[in-house]
Amino acid sequence: ENAIQQADLLLHYKKAFCQVHLQSQNGHGLFSILVSMLAEPLGKSGRRSDEDHMAIELVLHLFCNLLRAKPLFTSGAARQLQIDHEQVHDELVHLMQQELVLD
């Protein structure tokens, strides 16, 4: 049951990232902000601090978790859940590409 709740939470986060982008005034969403957090640590040519490594890991793990999030099918409505998930996933990938995350 805990795994199902965790999967549901990740799916809600995935949908929320997409919705926040749609509601933003300037066309930029959370992905742009998160990518901007990586600019300084990734731009360093010398040794990175522990704080730099933590910021990089945090953002990259968040991206991975959002991309991996998928429903755990436990009901007869599994096909509709799969279709809904695929639509949200495609939207998320498009947003990441749009906001330069995938460059």
Side-chain angles (χ1 to χ4, degrees):
E1 185 175 319
N2 190 26
I4 294 170
Q5 290 173 342
Q6 289 177 9
D8 286 343
L9 272 175
L10 280 173
L11 288 173
H12 287 294
Y13 286 138
K14 194 177 219 179
K15 289 177 186 177
F17 269 78
C18 295
Q19 290 172 351
V20 166
H21 179 81
L22 294 174
Q23 296 171 357
S24 69
Q25 300 279 330
N26 60 5
H28 297 290
L30 293 173
F31 288 115
S32 293
I33 295 167
L34 292 168
V35 169
S36 70
M37 289 174 55
L38 296 176
E40 183 184 339
L42 290 176
K44 290 184 178 178
S45 58
R47 183 176 162 92
R48 293 185 183 112
S49 69
D50 288 342
E51 187 176 298
D52 292 336
H53 286 287
M54 293 288 284
I56 293 167
E57 285 184 40
L58 178 69
V59 172
L60 294 180
H61 280 290
L62 176 61
F63 289 168
C64 287
N65 287 338
L66 288 172
L67 289 169
R68 286 185 195 148
K70 60 183 177 182
L72 297 179
F73 304 117
T74 59
S75 68
R79 182 66 190 136
Q80 186 58 46
L81 285 173
Q82 182 65 31
I83 291 169
D84 292 345
H85 169 257
E86 288 171 1
Q87 290 173 342
V88 171
H89 185 80
D90 289 346
E91 185 177 343
L92 185 76
V93 170
H94 176 74
L95 289 176
M96 292 177 95
Q97 183 177 21
Q98 183 179 346
E99 297 190 25
L100 306 174
V101 175
L102 297 179
D103 281 349

